[in-house]
Amino acid sequence: MSRRLVNLTLDNLDDMSSGCRACVFWELAPSAAVRACRDGAPEFDKEAWVSDTLLEWGCCGQLIYV
């Protein structure tokens, strides 16, 4: 079984599981995370956070493909 580790980018963000894609626990302040989940669009906040982090700091996570 082959495994491949890649940096998280906007191109492969959709490859994350839906639960991880919608989780903004670490990305947003608690009140903003509650608001994002209540409004039903935490995936957009995750995408914005990844984009901002990539521009300012570089790689912010990794994905493993099995």
Side-chain angles (χ1 to χ4, degrees):
M1 184 176 293
S2 154
R3 292 173 180 85
R4 182 172 50 107
L5 189 65
V6 298
N7 289 335
L8 180 63
T9 65
L10 293 175
D11 293 332
N12 60 18
L13 189 60
D14 288 334
D15 293 344
M16 293 175 71
S17 67
S18 60
C20 291
R21 179 91 163 86
C23 177
V24 289
F25 180 81
W26 298 108
E27 292 84 357
L28 299 176
S31 60
V34 168
R35 192 170 36 256
C37 292
R38 184 188 62 221
D39 294 344
E43 296 88 358
F44 295 119
D45 290 303
K46 171 84 84 176
E47 184 174 342
W49 179 83
V50 169
S51 178
D52 290 344
T53 304
L54 285 169
L55 287 172
E56 189 170 341
W57 296 96
C59 179
C60 57
Q62 295 184 321
L63 295 176
I64 188 165
Y65 291 94
V66 178

